[in-house]
Amino acid sequence: MTVSETVDESELSVESELLAGLESVVTTAGPVTDRFDVEAPFTGAVIGQLPACGPEDVEEAFDRADFAQEAWADRSVEERAAVFKRYHDLVLDHAEELLDVVQVESGKARRHAYEEVLDVAITTRHYAYRAEEYLESEPRDAAIPGLSETTVHHHPVGVVGIISPWNYPLSLAISDAVPALLAGNSVVIKPAEQTSYTALKAIELLREAGLPRDAFQVVTGFGEPLGEPLVANADYVCFTGSSATGRIVASQAGEHLTDCSLELGGKNPGIVCEDADVERAVDGLIRGCFTNAGQLCISLERLYVHEDVYGRFVEAFVDEIEDLHLGTEYSHDVDVGSLISEQQLEKVTEHVEEAKAEGATVLTGGTGRPDLGPYFYEPTVLTDVDESMALCAEETFGPVVSIYEYSDDDDVIERANDSDYGLNASIWTEDLERGKRMAKRIETGTVNVNEAYAAAWVALDAPMGGMKDSGIGRRHGEHGFMKYTEPQTVAVQKKLGMTAPPGVPYWLYAKIMNKTLKLQRRIPGMR
């Protein structure tokens, strides 16, 4: 791990004033000895330094979270929900400040940062008004009615460990924590080192809303020293990131018999049918491909366009892309912002250059824009991409999309499914019933018809997650809440026991039971 020398306050950029005081949210076991730089992607300048926490800090965070969890869980669900109802309003009241911090750390366009504010507010409201219903004890049917009474209770799992990524630093630090906390758990989070200030600001507001300080702990730093102790100490692990790292997290969780949910990578397909509204598809797919400069796990990197509309779509798509405004402004007028880092720029560049060398054609883009900022890359469209190329098979995670021509539905569904990933897909057709039929055949956790990703993402009452190498488990909906609970079945036996009554020979008991079970099968409500 490389840790820079301490930066003098006078050397920090003006933007660092936004971040003043947020370090106090970080949990440390003692005096901070190591720090790491946080960089502004728009300029490459260092805007601050945060503690490079170690395993001892993780232990301290879990000790505090464990101590706080019981008292937090003892509060009524109504009391816990009141905290999050206040938080909903605080997030909206402080939206501009949150947007500034997100942009400073991530380099994304402001309109894309605003999606994160919306997500946190909507998710918070959704769960705050449903937590009581989810956690209510449920009567369940007994095997033989009248002989016993069965109830299922839902208890918090304990302390939830969250490892959140840099691409959506507000949304993915908070929206997974909200249901965990409402269920009565405490949380320890390790946010991505590139965007930790965003998580700290969001948690500061949550404490202002009334969440006990120790119920939500933060350790900042790098994955290698912090990931393993976080998984080892957690009662449940929630990870969002690459498939390669997800395998490591899953392996470590398995060693400790700790349940986990993982949302991982995607190489998501979009399909434009011959009856699609081409203008609408172009508009929607530009958002689907280039939101957050393509650094979105559910963005679309492969577009399959029917031969009947292929030429018209490609021409309109490229024309619209060439009109996109790239920039570093803190306004909603910018269409595409920066990549996060030099490492991400190198990966995007490598994918495009390799494809070009192997015969792909660049229709627009295909180059970096250092005149705008160190990590900018132009929105890029390629054709003539062989499906064996890395650009087609591997997640690029940048503003790059390849377009392929197809002729019939069976062919395009087979090609769309020909991937190790299965996170999101998009289908464009004016025949909604056809779109629904096609969607059921796509091997992804979410499919949007006549939308790129937003319709499924904001459907918070429905589960969201991946198939195949795109992950395990789900966020959103009842699935995204109940995963943070332990169901407990309590069965109360009444008069007779679950065996032959005294004085009744077992052969007679078995004969009576056979007749009883056959009778039950024939009576509705007793099956």
Side-chain angles (χ1 to χ4, degrees):
M1 177 175 64
T2 301
V3 180
S4 69
E5 297 296 325
T6 301
V7 176
D8 186 83
E9 286 291 328
S10 63
E11 296 176 356
L12 299 181
S13 63
V14 175
E15 289 95 335
S16 65
E17 295 177 13
L18 280 170
L19 318 177
L22 293 178
E23 183 180 327
S24 64
V25 180
V26 180
T27 301
T28 57
V32 176
T33 56
D34 289 339
R35 294 179 175 274
F36 63 93
D37 294 340
V38 179
E39 184 182 83
F42 281 160
T43 63
V46 173
I47 54 170
Q49 291 187 324
L50 286 171
C53 294
E56 68 282 359
D57 302 309
V58 175
E59 295 287 344
E60 177 69 16
F62 273 93
D63 286 346
R64 294 185 191 181
D66 188 53
F67 184 78
Q69 189 267 324
E70 185 174 353
W72 173 244
D74 282 344
R75 294 194 190 189
S76 68
V77 184
E78 185 179 8
E79 286 181 273
R80 297 200 297 267
V83 171
F84 288 91
K85 292 171 185 176
R86 290 192 293 271
Y87 185 60
H88 172 275
D89 293 347
L90 278 173
V91 166
L92 297 176
D93 291 343
H94 290 265
E96 293 303 311
E97 188 178 351
L98 286 166
L99 291 174
D100 287 345
V101 178
V102 170
Q103 280 199 275
V104 165
E105 282 199 305
S106 72
K108 66 175 61 181
R110 198 170 190 83
R111 62 178 61 185
H112 302 153
Y114 184 62
E115 291 184 1
E116 299 199 57
V117 171
L118 286 178
D119 179 62
V120 169
I122 293 169
T123 301
T124 299
R125 186 187 69 215
H126 176 87
Y127 283 120
Y129 284 94
R130 288 165 177 78
E132 191 167 7
E133 175 189 343
Y134 287 152
L135 293 172
E136 188 175 5
S137 296
E138 309 164 71
R140 295 295 178 91
D141 292 337
I144 301 178
L147 292 187
S148 62
E149 176 184 287
T150 306
T151 307
V152 175
H153 304 292
H154 304 283
H155 301 289
V157 296
V159 183
V160 173
I162 296 177
I163 302 173
S164 62
W166 49 260
N167 61 322
Y168 277 75
L170 175 61
S171 182
L172 296 177
I174 298 301
S175 293
D176 287 319
V178 167
L181 290 161
L182 275 166
N185 302 286
S186 55
V187 170
V188 175
I189 188 171
K190 192 212 88 65
E193 62 272 14
Q194 300 97 323
T195 54
S196 296
Y197 279 114
T198 300
L200 298 176
K201 181 62 185 176
I203 294 165
E204 182 183 66
L205 288 177
L206 192 47
R207 291 173 178 174
E208 185 179 332
L211 183 73
R213 178 181 177 87
D214 284 347
F216 201 156
Q217 299 288 309
V218 190
V219 288
T220 53
F222 299 91
E224 189 172 343
L226 301 182
E228 188 169 4
L230 185 144
V231 173
N233 281 277
D235 297 304
Y236 188 97
V237 176
C238 178
F239 171 81
T240 305
S242 71
S243 297
T245 305
R247 285 188 172 89
I248 296 171
V249 172
S251 176
Q252 292 173 351
E255 289 178 11
H256 297 280
L257 294 180
T258 302
D259 200 1
C260 64
S261 59
L262 314 168
E263 191 201 283
L264 309 176
K267 192 69 179 179
N268 307 302
I271 299 171
V272 181
C273 299
E274 74 277 7
D275 65 342
D277 181 329
V278 170
E279 184 178 344
R280 183 182 179 190
V282 165
D283 178 68
L285 289 170
I286 284 176
R287 286 184 287 106
C289 298
F290 304 116
T291 290
N292 194 24
Q295 299 167 121
L296 172 60
C297 56
I298 51 179
S299 69
L300 303 165
E301 296 192 2
R302 297 179 289 148
L303 299 185
Y304 297 93
V305 182
H306 194 277
E307 59 188 6
D308 289 354
V309 294
Y310 180 85
R312 188 154 55 97
F313 174 86
V314 170
E315 181 179 4
F317 191 60
V318 170
D319 285 348
E320 289 293 321
I321 290 168
E322 290 178 346
D323 285 339
L324 294 177
H325 174 44
L326 282 67
T328 62
E329 297 96 315
Y330 286 77
S331 74
H332 293 283
D333 298 328
V334 174
D335 295 308
V336 181
S338 174
L339 294 170
I340 185 72
S341 65
E342 183 176 0
Q343 180 182 12
Q344 201 60 28
L345 176 63
E346 289 175 352
K347 180 181 179 182
V348 171
T349 303
E350 181 181 332
H351 273 201
V352 173
E353 293 304 313
E354 284 183 357
K356 287 166 58 179
E358 294 171 12
T361 301
V362 175
L363 299 184
T364 188
T367 185
R369 289 292 302 274
D371 55 310
L372 298 174
Y375 312 130
F376 273 83
Y377 196 88
E378 290 185 338
T380 300
V381 179
L382 299 98
T383 58
D384 304 315
V385 175
D386 188 286
E387 295 180 347
S388 65
M389 294 179 187
L391 186 71
C392 180
E394 298 176 14
E395 184 177 43
T396 303
F397 220 59
V400 178
V401 60
S402 51
I403 304 182
Y404 312 83
E405 191 172 340
Y406 81 93
S407 58
D408 66 74
D409 288 358
D410 289 340
D411 168 57
V412 76
I413 288 170
E414 182 179 353
R415 292 164 72 184
N417 289 338
D418 185 19
S419 173
D420 292 334
Y421 297 104
L423 191 55
N424 181 49
S426 174
I427 298 171
W428 297 81
T429 174
E430 290 294 276
D431 184 343
L432 299 186
E433 292 305 314
R434 175 193 184 188
K436 293 175 188 177
R437 290 193 302 272
M438 291 177 69
K440 289 179 69 175
R441 299 174 64 190
I442 301 291
E443 296 168 356
T444 57
T446 55
V447 183
N448 293 261
V449 177
N450 292 336
E451 175 52 49
Y453 64 85
W457 177 265
V458 300
L460 286 171
D461 196 37
M464 187 271 165
M467 300 180 182
K468 299 188 279 189
D469 287 359
S470 289
I472 57 176
R474 294 292 186 268
R475 57 166 54 98
H476 294 175
E478 187 173 359
H479 291 76
F481 189 97
M482 301 309 290
K483 68 184 182 182
Y484 297 123
T485 67
E486 290 281 12
Q488 178 193 42
T489 299
V490 175
V492 178
Q493 190 67 21
K494 295 183 178 179
K495 295 179 181 179
L496 296 176
M498 298 296 290
T499 188
V504 176
Y506 205 90
W507 67 265
L508 180 57
Y509 166 75
K511 189 172 183 179
I512 294 170
M513 285 299 297
N514 286 348
K515 290 184 177 181
T516 300
L517 294 176
K518 285 184 177 181
L519 180 64
Q520 277 187 265
R521 189 179 70 80
R522 288 166 172 79
I523 300 175
M526 295 184 67
R527 293 168 179 162

